[in-house]
Amino acid sequence: MAELGLNEHHQNEVINYMRFARSKRGLRLKTVDSCFQDLKESRLVEETFTVDEVSEVLSGLQAVVHSEVESELINTAYTNVLLLRQLFSQAEKWYLKLQTDISELENRGLLEQVAEFEKAEFTSSNKKPIIDITKPKLVPINEVGTTELLNKEILRLQEENEKLKLRLKNIEMQATNALDEKSKLEQALQDLQLDQGNQKDFIKAQDLSDLQNTVAALKSEFQKTLNDKTENQKSLEENLATAKHDLLRVQEQLSMTEKELEKKFQQTAAYRNMKEILTKKNDQIKDLRKRLAKYESED
């Protein structure tokens, strides 16, 4: 069977219209035939006619046939306009603008294709059982189309909502993991700082112990020297001065040692890596919080 390049639904609509047009065409042809039959029965009752009588008969027949054909052509044009109006109205409900190509209406190739389609369709349909014309009417296309499109849009939005929920859940899990990792890193840093403090305290205690032992030794020596002869007093005073200078020097060295130890600790790879990791994690948490706030605002 010939095809018009349309889907099944639209092709059925074309067939319905062609069936309607064939019915109207058949009625008009019967009307034209009746005009000739009426002329035969009412005027052709004599055996001979003059030229004027034949001319009068033909003029009357011409007027009747002209009126019938004109009426049919006008009715066909109006019917096509109503059909186009239905199509355009349906398109406007969806804010569509349809265009027609009038030149295609005189395309002989397309007209022959339509003729072959009509011949194939109605010739084969004559052999098929007559379809029950009392079947229920279809719901107007604007209602069906609206409901179907709305349902599709609802399903699409629901699927998108589920995807967003899943994505939000993943982001929340990432944020929670990042916070946990940050807490662990902070605890590790605190432990490292505590170990550093203990190490500093141990170094200070050891230095102070050595210093106290030195002072005690100097005091003992000084006390012993005082019991010596007067001639050794000057030497003892010098030794005491030297001891004081040593004490100041040791204190200064201790202070420098503490500063140097603090500086070396800050320059250690462990400290720098720990500080860099904490900085990156803080940046990631800030970014995740921003993204989380963005998706919460979209919901």
Side-chain angles (χ1 to χ4, degrees):
M1 184 180 65
E3 298 290 342
L4 296 179
L6 303 174
N7 59 36
E8 183 178 359
H9 173 76
H10 290 160
Q11 187 158 300
N12 289 334
E13 292 295 322
V14 171
I15 292 173
N16 290 334
Y17 177 75
M18 295 180 73
R19 183 178 290 111
F20 167 77
R22 284 169 62 89
S23 174
K24 298 292 291 184
R25 185 168 68 237
L27 291 176
R28 288 301 177 184
L29 290 176
K30 289 180 180 180
T31 302
V32 172
D33 291 340
S34 66
C35 292
F36 283 89
Q37 187 63 32
D38 292 340
L39 178 63
K40 291 179 181 179
E41 294 176 356
S42 62
R43 300 297 300 273
L44 301 181
V45 294
E46 300 180 5
E47 294 182 356
T48 58
F49 293 91
T50 64
V51 174
D52 293 336
E53 289 175 341
V54 173
S55 177
E56 180 184 358
V57 170
L58 293 178
S59 297
L61 180 60
Q62 179 186 6
V64 173
V65 173
H66 181 277
S67 176
E68 290 294 334
V69 173
E70 182 182 22
S71 176
E72 174 60 18
L73 292 175
I74 292 174
N75 185 68
T76 300
Y78 292 167
T79 301
N80 291 334
V81 171
L82 292 178
L83 182 62
L84 290 173
R85 180 178 177 274
Q86 291 181 19
L87 297 177
F88 291 155
S89 297
Q90 292 176 8
E92 289 176 1
K93 289 182 182 297
W94 297 103
Y95 304 97
L96 300 176
K97 293 183 179 180
L98 303 182
Q99 293 182 344
T100 59
D101 188 355
I102 304 299
S103 62
E104 291 294 326
L105 299 179
E106 296 182 351
N107 188 320
R108 299 303 305 174
L110 294 178
L111 291 175
E112 291 176 359
Q113 183 179 353
V114 173
E116 291 177 1
F117 175 78
E118 180 183 16
K119 180 179 179 181
E121 179 63 31
F122 289 97
T123 300
S124 59
S125 63
N126 290 335
K127 302 177 183 179
K128 299 177 183 179
I130 299 177
I131 301 175
D132 186 8
I133 61 174
T134 61
K135 63 181 180 179
K137 291 185 177 180
L138 294 175
V139 181
I141 191 171
N142 58 331
E143 296 180 7
V144 174
T146 303
T147 304
E148 184 178 358
L149 289 177
L150 286 176
N151 289 332
K152 288 182 179 179
E153 183 66 14
I154 290 173
L155 291 175
R156 186 187 68 80
L157 291 175
Q158 288 177 346
E159 292 177 357
E160 186 175 355
N161 190 30
E162 291 298 327
K163 291 180 181 178
L164 290 175
K165 286 182 179 179
L166 182 60
R167 188 175 181 183
L168 180 60
K169 185 177 180 180
N170 293 332
I171 292 176
E172 289 177 349
M173 291 178 61
Q174 292 177 3
T176 303
N177 294 334
L179 290 174
D180 293 340
E181 190 172 354
K182 179 186 176 184
S183 300
K184 293 179 181 179
L185 291 174
E186 288 177 347
Q187 184 63 38
L189 180 60
Q190 291 178 1
D191 295 339
L192 184 61
Q193 290 176 346
L194 182 59
D195 292 339
Q196 180 190 5
N198 294 333
Q199 186 178 5
K200 288 182 179 179
D201 293 338
F202 176 75
I203 294 173
K204 289 181 180 179
Q206 187 176 5
D207 291 342
L208 287 175
S209 178
D210 294 340
L211 183 60
Q212 288 175 354
N213 292 333
T214 302
V215 173
L218 290 173
K219 285 182 179 181
S220 177
E221 185 179 356
F222 180 72
Q223 186 66 33
K224 183 179 180 181
T225 304
L226 288 177
N227 295 328
D228 291 342
K229 295 180 180 182
T230 308
E231 56 197 32
N232 295 326
Q233 182 177 359
K234 184 177 180 180
S235 177
L236 292 174
E237 290 176 353
E238 291 177 355
N239 290 335
L240 179 61
T242 303
K244 289 181 179 180
H245 287 301
D246 292 338
L247 177 62
L248 293 174
R249 181 174 55 79
V250 170
Q251 290 178 347
E252 182 179 1
Q253 290 178 355
L254 178 61
S255 177
M256 293 176 63
T257 301
E258 291 178 351
K259 292 180 180 179
E260 184 177 357
L261 180 61
E262 179 70 21
K263 182 177 180 181
K264 288 182 178 180
F265 177 75
Q266 293 180 357
Q267 293 177 352
T268 57
Y271 182 85
R272 290 198 304 270
N273 292 337
M274 190 70 66
K275 188 173 182 180
E276 183 178 356
I277 291 173
L278 284 176
T279 302
K280 291 182 179 179
K281 291 299 178 181
N282 287 330
D283 294 338
Q284 290 179 0
I285 290 172
K286 289 180 181 180
D287 183 59
L288 289 173
R289 286 176 176 171
K290 289 181 180 180
R291 292 168 61 186
L292 183 60
K294 178 180 178 182
Y295 287 112
E296 287 178 350
S297 62
E298 289 179 354
D299 287 342

